[in-house]
Amino acid sequence: MINQFELYDIRILVYICITHVYIHIQNIIWNFLYIISRILLHKTTSLPRAIDVKTRHGREDVSNIVKLPLHSDRDIAYYGNITIGTPPQKFTVIIDTGSANLWVPSINCVDSNRACKKHNKYDSSKSSTYIPDNTGFKIDYVSGSVGGHFSTDVVNIAGFDVENQTFGEAVTEANVFENAAYDGLLGMSYSNISIEGVTPLFANIVKQHKIISIFSFYINRHVSFYPNITWAGELIFGGSDPRFRIGPFTYVDVSKKGYWQFTMDKVKMEDQILCANSCEAVVDTGTTLIIGPPTDITIINERIGAIYYTNYSTEMDCDKTSNLPDIDFIVGGFKKLRLSSDDYIVRHKLNNVTVCMSAFESDPPDDDGQFFWTLGDVFLRRYYTEFDMLHDRIGFACAK
């Protein structure tokens, strides 16, 4: 199986004395804070070290970049608008650098599938540019699956008309998608992990519209502090925007094409060194939290006072989240990508109850017994990130 990811509910235990009130609030939280995290497959047991740290200086030409505004599903997922077909049918899709395929719900949803029925659905009979394909597809998730068949049509994103784009029409979806604010998913990883060898949307944009094969992902982290702000960030095709960053990019080479994977030197918290002999990491916009090996994550969570109430989920005393240590992700032997407690403590207010949890979760090893780090949106809110297929590298810069 490839291109799999798991969608975790964040089960945050709220201590309330009255039993029926406790159950009510807990159910609200479980439904509200579903979290996207991914099982990464097809990992090698011995990857060559391929770190190349560079910085970019000077003035940059932003005249050829094209921007897709992003919306936030409560800081859990980031999605944008696309259309498919002629005349255009509107959809919202989560931006996912951990997979390569595009899929949206189909008008032919299975009647009993609530997740599919509750979202916008593609109707091929209403599009004059529809080309049938009918190759079946299925993506397995921890909590279920998405399945259906491929179709081909014109897709419009950020003003680009992308002709003859093959995408998935989902007729069944896992229940975890039922309350999602978005309809489908847009994969932005390398084409070699695309299901059935389908050419990814971004590859067709590059080919048809002659832009360079670089895109960047910016999250407006101020949305959390100012609820009236609706602009949650941007997906930028053809490069990056220097107005979104402080200082130059630090680049690391992609260590294995497929996912946006690179070699990380170490993780440092005070005098504690994790990932001491280097480790592989993946940058994934489709994952909310930061995922790591169980041993390392346990060390971090114990130090910051996070208490486990399931094997994966934690809770924290919101009054004890100040004066916690910074955590440094070190690349290139010296460059520190630092997160403070303001970054890695997740806070939400529900029914006047403030809930806090650690942004660090653990995953089991892959099929080869290897542990990986996954840097999700918690990390990307602090670091504006450039994904460069032209030079097979990833750039990090402190986000404004």
Side-chain angles (χ1 to χ4, degrees):
M1 296 181 294
I2 59 176
N3 297 342
Q4 300 186 338
F5 65 91
E6 48 184 306
L7 292 158
Y8 287 117
D9 291 328
I10 297 181
R11 303 183 178 106
I12 302 172
L13 184 59
V14 181
Y15 290 106
I16 297 177
C17 296
I18 304 175
T19 302
H20 73 277
V21 175
Y22 156 72
I23 294 173
H24 174 68
I25 292 181
Q26 187 187 53
N27 287 337
I28 291 175
I29 295 172
W30 285 19
N31 290 329
F32 182 77
L33 295 177
Y34 62 90
I35 289 296
I36 301 174
S37 29
R38 186 174 325 281
I39 294 178
L40 300 167
L41 304 180
H42 296 293
K43 300 168 185 171
T44 69
T45 55
S46 59
L47 287 167
R49 181 175 175 79
I51 288 290
D52 179 20
V53 178
K54 305 181 182 71
T55 56
R56 176 189 291 173
H57 298 277
R59 303 182 65 179
E60 298 173 48
D61 180 10
V62 297
S63 61
N64 294 322
I65 64 175
V66 177
K67 301 182 176 183
L68 176 71
L70 298 178
H71 309 280
S72 170
D73 187 0
R74 299 156 291 185
D75 280 343
I76 297 168
Y78 296 88
Y79 59 93
N81 299 322
I82 67 169
T83 66
I84 303 177
T86 308
Q89 301 175 41
K90 296 180 180 180
F91 301 93
T92 55
V93 288
I94 182 174
I95 309 304
D96 179 30
T97 57
S99 65
N101 293 86
L102 167 66
W103 62 263
V104 296
S106 172
I107 193 66
N108 299 312
C109 284
V110 175
D111 288 340
S112 60
N113 193 264
R114 293 181 301 175
C116 187
K117 289 288 187 181
K118 287 181 67 173
H119 291 90
N120 294 319
K121 293 169 284 293
Y122 172 75
D123 187 345
S124 61
S125 69
K126 294 183 178 180
S127 176
S128 62
T129 46
Y130 163 69
I131 302 173
D133 183 302
N134 294 324
T135 301
F137 81 92
K138 183 181 179 183
I139 306 174
D140 292 314
Y141 301 95
V142 169
S143 301
S145 63
V146 169
H149 61 85
F150 287 114
S151 293
T152 299
D153 209 330
V154 58
V155 175
N156 184 281
I157 182 168
F160 289 126
D161 276 331
V162 184
E163 306 288 342
N164 299 317
Q165 177 63 48
T166 298
F167 61 97
E169 282 193 57
V171 298
T172 61
E173 298 180 36
N175 290 335
V176 288
F177 288 107
E178 182 178 351
N179 296 315
Y182 50 86
D183 302 309
L185 182 146
L186 171 58
M188 296 289 291
S189 66
Y190 283 88
S191 60
N192 63 313
I193 63 170
S194 174
I195 295 176
E196 298 295 334
V198 169
T199 302
L201 180 67
F202 182 59
N204 275 331
I205 293 174
V206 171
K207 180 179 179 180
Q208 295 180 25
H209 294 276
K210 310 302 181 185
I211 67 168
I212 59 174
S213 53
I214 300 173
F215 65 92
S216 56
F217 188 80
Y218 173 76
I219 295 176
N220 178 13
R221 57 194 178 93
H222 304 293
V223 172
S224 301
F225 305 104
Y226 303 99
N228 293 330
I229 298 177
T230 58
W231 176 76
E234 287 183 352
L235 173 65
I236 300 176
F237 298 103
S240 56
D241 191 333
R243 292 174 295 180
F244 291 156
R245 58 180 169 81
I246 301 171
F249 281 109
T250 293
Y251 289 99
V252 296
D253 287 343
V254 171
S255 57
K256 181 185 178 184
K257 292 184 183 180
Y259 304 104
W260 287 95
Q261 180 175 320
F262 69 99
T263 304
M264 185 162 59
D265 286 291
K266 64 186 69 174
V267 178
K268 188 173 186 296
M269 178 181 61
E270 299 175 318
D271 59 351
Q272 186 79 51
I273 303 297
L274 310 174
C275 169
N277 297 315
S278 79
C279 51
E280 291 302 299
V282 172
V283 184
D284 188 359
T285 62
T287 292
T288 307
L289 303 180
I290 297 174
I291 315 298
T295 300
D296 292 348
I297 297 302
T298 298
I299 291 171
I300 291 174
N301 281 334
E302 286 182 352
R303 171 60 186 88
I304 66 177
I307 300 172
Y308 285 90
Y309 63 90
T310 72
N311 288 336
Y312 297 103
S313 303
T314 63
E315 63 173 344
M316 299 187 67
D317 185 340
C318 293
D319 294 329
K320 297 180 180 179
T321 57
S322 59
N323 300 318
L324 293 178
D326 295 334
I327 299 176
D328 294 328
F329 298 82
I330 300 174
V331 299
F334 67 92
K335 182 64 178 180
K336 296 178 180 178
L337 304 178
R338 173 166 291 178
L339 296 183
S340 70
S341 60
D342 287 337
D343 302 311
Y344 64 73
I345 301 301
V346 179
R347 295 175 174 86
H348 284 279
K349 193 169 186 178
L350 299 171
N351 291 357
N352 295 318
V353 176
T354 299
V355 179
C356 292
M357 60 166 289
S358 166
F360 292 97
E361 271 193 9
S362 61
D363 245 0
D366 68 358
D367 291 344
D368 296 324
Q370 301 297 299
F371 290 101
F372 277 58
W373 285 81
T374 302
L375 307 181
D377 295 332
V378 166
F379 181 87
L380 298 174
R381 277 195 283 273
R382 173 58 63 183
Y383 291 98
Y384 178 33
T385 304
E386 185 180 84
F387 301 86
D388 185 347
M389 287 184 176
L390 186 64
H391 304 99
D392 295 323
R393 62 184 185 177
I394 308 165
F396 301 104
C398 191
K400 288 185 177 178

